[in-house]
Amino acid sequence: MSGVLSTLNQVFGLGKVDGNSHPIHPSTVHFPIAFLSLAYGLDTLYGLTTHYNISALRAVGPHLADISRAAYFSNLLGIITAIPSALTGFSELYAMISSKGIWQKIRKESTGETVYAGMNPTVRHGLAHGALNDIALLASVYNWWTRRNVVGYEPSGMNVLLSAAMLPSLMFSAYLGGAMVYKYGVGVMRMGEGAQIKADMERDEVTKTEGQTQYLKRKDQ
């Protein structure tokens, strides 16, 4: 059974089939980010309109019922679409920790000097990214559960407070996810020549161009 689960994780969690490796997780994050950020924003707007006398928001008053319903159903869609995102994200994080380890030392190949010793920055970003997303998902489940039987799905003060807190948290988590791809190269160059170039570059992160040069010389031989 463990072999079957491992195969399912490789295919549906990591996107690895034979020699191909296309991570699934990045393609699953857009819908939950869009739906949950919309829900959080609408709840925050509802709270500002009902608790504060802000002249710029007076025109929103007649639409509060629509806003509360839109926020509720957007939140529900965010929860549903977050499930595959959370599962594939866990698969990627687990694979990353298994291959890289939590702690890291970077040494210069030329001198053997240790230039960094501490938590692997990629793993650190991944743990923070996953934790913030899990907190947002739990808050969203709470908001859905406590409002499901409320007339008009109107948010309580706690619902508004959670949404207002989760909006910037979710945006920061999305930033961390982007940094993992564009700064640390997570999920890219995972097959073919790209995988070999990446492997060479990771041998000495202080001189990344050297790794690519080594590969190009090997290719011409």
Side-chain angles (χ1 to χ4, degrees), residues 92-201:
E92 290 286 350
L93 181 60
Y94 181 79
M96 183 194 308
I97 294 176
S98 298
S99 62
K100 295 179 176 293
I102 296 179
W103 306 104
Q104 179 187 46
K105 281 188 178 181
I106 299 177
R107 293 186 176 91
K108 286 185 178 180
E109 292 184 345
S110 56
T111 63
E113 175 190 0
T114 298
V115 295
Y116 176 81
M119 179 176 284
N120 188 308
T122 309
V123 173
R124 183 175 65 244
H125 273 65
L127 291 173
H129 174 67
L132 290 174
N133 286 338
D134 289 342
I135 292 172
L137 182 57
L138 289 175
S140 295
V141 170
Y142 173 85
N143 280 351
W144 162 73
W145 183 261
T146 55
R147 294 166 65 177
R148 71 193 191 286
N149 294 323
V150 176
V151 177
Y153 306 113
E154 294 181 1
S156 65
M158 179 58 72
N159 296 143
V160 171
L161 181 62
L162 282 175
S163 291
M166 288 302 102
L167 182 57
S169 177
L170 182 65
M171 294 299 100
F172 181 64
S173 176
Y175 161 78
L176 291 178
M180 292 176 67
V181 175
Y182 296 109
K183 183 177 181 180
Y184 296 108
V186 174
V188 299
M189 304 172 72
R190 293 211 324 197
M191 63 182 184
E193 294 184 359
Q196 184 60 61
I197 292 174
K198 186 176 182 180
D200 286 338
M201 292 169 68

Side-chain angles (χ1 to χ4, degrees), residues 14-56:
L14 300 175
K16 293 184 177 181
V17 180
D18 294 330
N20 297 319
S21 180
H22 295 281
I24 297 175
H25 179 67
S27 65
T28 66
V29 303
H30 303 91
F31 284 115
I33 290 176
F35 285 129
L36 292 180
S37 60
L38 176 60
Y40 299 154
L42 290 175
D43 276 347
T44 303
L45 177 62
Y46 185 99
L48 290 174
T49 304
T50 55
H51 290 80
Y52 298 96
N53 185 20
I54 302 176
S55 58

